[in-house]
Amino acid sequence: MATTSVSSLAHLPKIARADTGGSGGSKWLSGKRGEDVVIRVPVGTVVREVKLEEGDEVEREREEREELEMAWEASKVRFAEAEHREKRWDAWKKDKDRREKEGLPRAEVFEELPLEDVGPGRQEALERVRKELFVLYPQVDLSSHPGFLYAEHKLLSRLLAREMEMPGRKKRRRRRSRAEDGEEELLYLDLKEPTPAGSPILLLSGGAGGLGNPSFQSTEDRSPKYALKGGNGESMRLELELKAGGEVGLVGMPNAGKSTILRALTSSTPRVASYAFTTLNPNHGTCVLYSDSTFSGPNIATTTIGDTLATPESFSAESHRLSREERRAQSRPADVDPSSSAPREKRTEVMRFTITDNPGLVERSSENVGLGHQFLRHVERCSALVYVVDLSGDPVGDLRMLRNELREYESMKGLEEGSVEGRIRGVVANKADKFGEPEEGEEARESQEEGRRKLGELTEFVRSELRGGEGVWIVPTSAKRRENVKALVGRLAETVKEEREKEKERVRFEEEALQREREEAAFGRSY
């Protein structure tokens, strides 16, 4: 079940096992089915079935088949012996009654014949299968009971004919459909949307309950002393891959300021620090736009985003926690006097969209260097992508590297050309505040002219080198100081509106195509 209540796969065990089916009992009671196990995964999880080694699968099935055949042969002999003994017993009993009635000498004691040798290993195989199949009443010996041996032989015949599954097997392979080429179709699920709470996706059937003793009643045996065991469920080996994404995905090198941008535009509080790889998993936030031209995020005028504290005291119970009023003050627009008692003009929500802060990429991430593929897979989910580069460094070189990594990732994953890189809609030139005259206590900065030169080179590279560069916007900003973030929010909002319109058009086109197919099929049936 895909749900928004979990955000990672870390809580999942390596083996998830539902309950086995309950064994059958007396008093017309069959065993109850095994309890379901619901596996909750984040939205965006891809579920793939891992094909087992062909040799192991075939060998295991061959061994199970051989054991069943040996047990069936032994059961056939034992059942024939029981039938023969039953006939001999009936004849002896009639003779005994006749002698007693006519006053003749007492008949000899009924002679038990020795069991026939069924061959090496067959009796042992029958005993093992019998333990897996049946629940026997305490202190009851049914090894020569005709009714029991008949039921046992019938069940083994059905198992060999594949009319039923072995209830006591510890593992059952999932039954799969076959493709046109005869190959088994492996399971593949792409959980892009939350699964309805009342309709989870059934991957494997649980264990069926065993049959109770009334199921084995006959005219000769009105109270059977045995029942069928409950079965284990089906099994499958799965690979889960989380591809988290929002409507806008931030793509950049480590320490480019992606997490700072997310904190500046949303209420999300990802970890921020002045070293690389602060973000190891995607962070998500929702940017909300209001009717008074404000948007979500802390107060622009009074708050500067600093590094997240990592000292032990900052996480202790004694550390300061913001009160509700302090949190409200941080989100209050800059032009509102906090001491004023005048009622604020009521604002309404105009639009909201999700932003994903993806982990930073390094050179050769497409070749899975470091955690390359683990980071890159998340960008596949985002409707639109935005590059984030450090304007104070080498923005053109960084942008060239990021573009090449996305292209190489498409090639290595076998994706359609431009399926990832073609989603680039803008470039954020972050850390634009590192130019000009330094403030007191700060290190020397580059001149504003140098900043304008770098921004010009970046703009020229975007126009000439990026795919669809004419439609890619560029916004210089300082997310740390929240400078020019309003322009950035405006660009992001326009991008999201365009992507939503494209998605609506795509859905409408697919629905029309499906409707045409239905009409053509109905027209064909009418003739």
Side-chain angles (χ1 to χ4, degrees), residues 14-260:
K14 290 186 176 181
I15 298 177
R17 182 178 289 113
D19 289 343
T20 58
S23 300
S26 59
K27 299 181 180 179
W28 298 94
L29 295 178
S30 292
K32 67 177 182 179
R33 61 179 294 272
E35 293 292 332
D36 296 331
V37 170
V38 179
I39 300 176
R40 290 176 172 81
V41 298
V43 176
T45 301
V46 175
V47 183
R48 300 185 187 90
E49 181 182 1
V50 179
K51 188 174 182 180
L52 298 177
E53 292 293 333
E54 191 72 23
D56 296 343
E57 185 85 4
V58 173
E59 181 65 21
R60 184 165 56 251
E61 289 185 356
R62 186 186 64 79
E63 291 176 356
E64 292 178 357
R65 183 81 178 176
E66 287 180 356
E67 185 179 51
L68 277 177
E69 289 175 350
M70 294 171 66
W72 182 85
E73 292 172 359
S75 172
K76 181 180 179 181
V77 173
R78 295 291 176 253
F79 175 57
E81 288 178 342
E83 278 190 322
H84 181 59
R85 180 187 182 281
E86 190 74 9
K87 291 178 182 178
R88 290 176 53 245
W89 170 265
D90 290 342
W92 179 85
K93 188 72 169 60
K94 288 180 181 180
D95 183 63
K96 176 176 175 295
D97 294 341
R98 182 182 61 82
R99 287 175 177 273
E100 289 179 354
K101 185 176 182 180
E102 296 178 357
L104 298 175
R106 183 176 298 180
E108 296 181 1
V109 178
F110 181 77
E111 181 183 5
E112 293 286 357
L113 300 178
L115 296 177
E116 181 182 341
D117 184 14
V118 294
R122 287 186 172 85
Q123 185 63 34
E124 291 77 5
L126 178 60
E127 295 294 336
R128 287 195 298 269
V129 173
R130 182 177 293 169
K131 288 181 179 179
E132 293 180 353
L133 276 174
F134 292 100
V135 178
L136 304 180
Y137 281 31
Q139 299 181 352
V140 173
D141 182 15
L142 300 174
S143 58
S144 59
H145 191 286
F148 170 73
L149 294 175
Y150 171 74
E152 181 181 62
H153 186 65
K154 187 176 179 180
L155 284 174
L156 291 176
S157 299
R158 293 185 62 191
L159 287 170
L160 281 177
R162 301 186 187 277
E163 295 177 2
M164 62 177 289
E165 296 287 346
M166 185 72 179
R169 291 298 180 196
K170 295 184 178 180
K171 286 189 176 181
R172 287 195 296 148
R173 271 69 64 197
R174 174 178 176 267
R175 292 182 177 179
R176 309 175 184 88
S177 58
R178 291 186 176 271
E180 295 179 357
D181 57 1
E183 288 290 327
E184 290 183 341
E185 293 184 349
L186 299 180
L187 178 73
Y188 180 87
L189 293 175
D190 194 352
L191 305 177
K192 296 180 180 179
E193 302 293 336
T195 307
S199 304
I201 301 172
L202 176 64
L203 295 185
L204 298 170
S205 298
L211 298 176
N213 67 336
S215 302
F216 302 100
Q217 278 185 341
S218 63
T219 54
E220 293 80 15
D221 189 0
R222 302 305 299 168
S223 180
K225 304 302 182 187
Y226 54 92
L228 204 61
K229 283 187 176 181
N232 291 77
E234 296 175 330
S235 67
M236 185 194 305
R237 184 175 297 175
L238 298 175
E239 177 187 67
L240 304 181
E241 180 182 10
L242 177 58
K243 294 182 178 181
E247 293 180 284
V248 177
L250 305 180
V251 180
M253 297 184 68
N255 209 29
K258 302 181 295 299
S259 299
T260 309

Side-chain angles (χ1 to χ4, degrees), residues 391 395 429 450-460 474-476:
L391 190 61
E450 180 65 15
R452 295 191 186 95
R453 183 189 66 80
K454 288 186 176 182
L455 183 60
E457 292 178 353
L458 181 63
T459 303
E460 180 60 29
I474 303 175
V475 175

Side-chain angles (χ1 to χ4, degrees), residues 206-406:
L211 298 176
N213 67 336
S215 302
F216 302 100
Q217 278 185 341
S218 63
T219 54
E220 293 80 15
D221 189 0
R222 302 305 299 168
S223 180
K225 304 302 182 187
Y226 54 92
L228 204 61
K229 283 187 176 181
N232 291 77
E234 296 175 330
S235 67
M236 185 194 305
R237 184 175 297 175
L238 298 175
E239 177 187 67
L240 304 181
E241 180 182 10
L242 177 58
K243 294 182 178 181
E247 293 180 284
V248 177
L250 305 180
V251 180
M253 297 184 68
N255 209 29
K258 302 181 295 299
S259 299
T260 309
I261 291 175
L262 188 67
R263 294 186 67 146
L265 305 185
T266 72
S267 298
S268 180
T269 56
R271 183 177 178 82
V272 174
S274 56
Y275 53 83
F277 297 110
T278 311
T279 302
L280 298 178
N281 293 296
N283 296 309
H284 307 280
T286 302
C287 183
V288 184
L289 279 66
Y290 297 101
S291 56
D292 59 354
S293 300
T294 59
F295 55 90
S296 54
N299 191 329
I300 297 176
T302 62
T303 306
T304 298
I305 297 179
D307 290 358
T308 305
L309 295 178
T311 54
E313 56 268 19
S314 64
F315 297 101
S316 67
E318 291 77 17
S319 60
H320 177 65
R321 297 290 188 270
L322 294 178
S323 65
R324 179 179 297 180
E325 186 58 35
E326 288 172 326
R327 291 197 300 270
R328 286 179 179 175
Q330 282 195 356
S331 60
R332 186 181 294 118
D335 55 353
V336 175
D337 183 5
S339 62
S340 174
S341 60
R344 289 180 54 188
E345 182 181 352
K346 187 176 181 180
R347 62 179 185 176
T348 58
E349 181 180 322
V350 176
M351 178 186 180
R352 67 170 53 202
F353 54 90
T354 56
I355 303 175
T356 299
D357 163 28
N358 293 298
L361 304 180
V362 296
E363 193 170 1
R364 296 175 61 202
S365 290
S366 58
E367 300 176 20
N368 207 21
V369 170
L371 296 174
H373 286 182
Q374 184 174 336
F375 290 171
L376 275 165
R377 66 189 179 193
H378 300 292
V379 303
E380 296 182 41
R381 290 288 188 211
C382 301
S383 303
L385 298 176
V386 174
Y387 286 131
V388 179
V389 294
D390 181 359
L391 190 61
S392 64
D394 180 13
V396 173
D398 294 347
L399 200 58
R400 182 180 288 109
M401 188 276 293
L402 294 171
R403 178 201 62 182
N404 293 339
E405 291 305 317
L406 294 186

Side-chain angles (χ1 to χ4, degrees), residues 406-421:
L406 294 186
R407 288 181 177 179
E408 290 297 325
Y409 182 70
E410 291 174 352
S411 176
M412 295 193 68
K413 284 291 185 178
L415 304 175
E416 184 180 352
E417 184 178 355
S419 59
V420 177
E421 189 204 355

